[in-house]
Amino acid sequence: MSTEKTIKKVTTKALEVMKKRGEKIAALTAYDFITARILDAAGIDLLLVGDSLANVFQGNETTLPVTMDEMIYHTKAVTKGVNRAMVVVDMPFMSYQLSIKEGFRNAGRIMKETSAGAVKLEGGKRVAETIKELTDAGIPVMGHVGLTPQSINQFGSYRERGKSKEEAKEIFEDALAVEKAGAFALVLEKIPAVLANKITKALRIPTIGIGAGINCDGQILVTPDLLGLYVEFQPRFVRKYASLADEMDKSIHNYINDVKKKNFPSKAESY
Ligand code: KIV
């Protein structure tokens, strides 16, 4: 694992160049120092401190309960583990919906207190004015349209969005509005691959898909899903690359067994 500080940082410009070159962007979520360090050293391009931490870290059913202070706490740990990747922070529910001024104040706090490179907020036309104000002030913003989990109480379920003609049109227009407002990238969540492809082709900025098909400019997954650590949630867009929950279970059973049977610590492990 490299800890050298000489590695070139991934910037918003670099992501734009990757799109132009057709080079795919690999993104994942991170909520802590150790994981961020491993993902960064492996060469991940973008790390999102997602508000999914409300689910996978805090055990909540939705992303709504996580607070500004908690997002800042986790981001500070993540940025300490990162040399190269761009770190983007989710603005939590109700940190930007109240007013543009409130969104401004909270995005400013994230940028001042965490060393992150950008913020992400959910919504299209509805938040375009906020995105414009933030980018005008020098705060890079990533958009997020399609299934936007902060609106779960409005949607009523986590089903795929954009299946009907009307909803697809709405999402397409939202994507255009986010780009026009100045966002540097856009997350497309759980929408038909055909719609994601159409949006990706229409936009200058890169699209990062999650359950949005192969043609997005990049892909993102929630890291504990990919590692098989968070087994409660298994939608079909998650590819499990490991079964770490099983590995942990085995290791912990072995440890308990060794302690109970007086096999740990050995002489070599003692002073
Ligand atoms: O919070 C999160 O992890 C996200 C990703 C699913 C894109 O928003």
Side-chain angles (χ1 to χ4, degrees):
M1 187 185 302
S2 165
T3 50
E4 282 179 35
K5 284 274 176 192
T6 49
I7 304 161
K8 237 177 151 193
K9 269 270 198 212
V10 178
T11 59
T12 56
K13 186 82 203 151
L15 296 174
E16 201 182 307
V17 170
M18 285 171 84
K19 173 167 180 139
K20 275 198 193 123
R21 282 195 198 136
E23 186 186 336
K24 295 283 184 183
I25 299 161
L28 281 172
T29 65
Y31 319 102
D32 66 275
F33 168 73
I34 296 171
T35 311
R37 195 169 61 169
I38 293 170
L39 302 183
D40 186 62
I44 203 78
D45 299 310
L46 186 148
L47 278 180
L48 172 70
V49 185
D51 58 0
S52 51
L53 84 80
N55 308 115
V56 298
F57 199 90
Q58 299 179 325
N60 296 299
E61 271 186 22
T62 72
T63 58
L64 273 55
V66 69
T67 66
M68 271 294 296
D69 285 345
E70 288 162 348
M71 292 304 296
I72 285 174
Y73 170 88
H74 283 272
T75 306
K76 278 180 171 171
V78 166
T79 52
K80 286 191 189 103
V82 172
N83 290 319
R84 176 185 171 273
M86 165 147 211
V87 177
V88 181
V89 187
D90 252 334
M91 294 194 64
F93 180 61
M94 276 302 140
S95 67
Y96 59 95
Q97 287 90 344
L98 221 52
S99 67
I100 292 175
K101 201 170 158 195
E102 186 74 358
F104 219 145
R105 207 168 53 81
N106 284 321
R109 254 197 86 192
I110 289 172
M111 299 305 284
K112 274 180 95 79
E113 294 178 34
T114 69
S115 311
V119 298
K120 170 164 91 58
L121 42 92
E122 295 183 3
K125 296 186 271 297
R126 184 163 58 80
V127 293
E129 194 58 35
T130 306
I131 295 176
K132 185 173 180 327
E133 291 287 331
L134 296 181
T135 51
D136 281 354
I139 300 176
V141 179
M142 184 182 229
H144 184 158
V145 301
L147 175 64
T148 46
Q150 290 179 11
S151 304
I152 181 61
N153 291 316
Q154 207 168 33
F155 292 149
S157 83
Y158 289 105
R159 71 163 177 80
E160 177 189 355
R161 314 302 305 175
K163 276 180 91 173
S164 70
K165 238 182 172 177
E166 300 74 48
E167 215 173 68
K169 181 171 176 282
E170 188 85 356
I171 293 170
F172 186 76
E173 286 171 4
D174 277 341
L176 296 184
V178 166
E179 173 172 275
K180 189 162 176 238
F184 72 89
L186 177 64
V187 168
L188 301 176
E189 180 163 353
K190 218 171 177 186
I191 60 171
V194 172
L195 174 59
N197 187 30
K198 187 176 159 199
I199 293 171
T200 301
K201 284 202 171 119
L203 297 189
R204 181 187 39 80
I205 60 172
T207 58
I208 315 282
I210 174 161
I214 190 70
N215 289 313
C216 296
D217 299 305
Q219 299 291 332
I220 186 163
L221 283 176
V222 170
T223 301
D225 294 342
L226 160 149
L227 294 176
L229 269 171
Y230 190 70
V231 285
E232 290 83 350
F233 182 68
Q234 312 222 335
R236 81 164 194 245
F237 63 74
V238 171
R239 185 178 292 180
K240 246 173 80 180
Y241 285 85
S243 300
L244 291 198
D246 295 341
E247 279 299 306
M248 280 177 82
D249 183 60
K250 258 187 255 160
S251 311
I252 305 308
H253 270 97
N254 288 340
Y255 168 72
I256 293 170
N257 208 30
D258 282 349
V259 171
K260 301 281 182 193
K261 295 211 162 124
K262 301 180 189 163
N263 283 336
F264 177 81
S266 66
K267 263 203 176 135
E269 287 157 338
S270 306
Y271 297 92

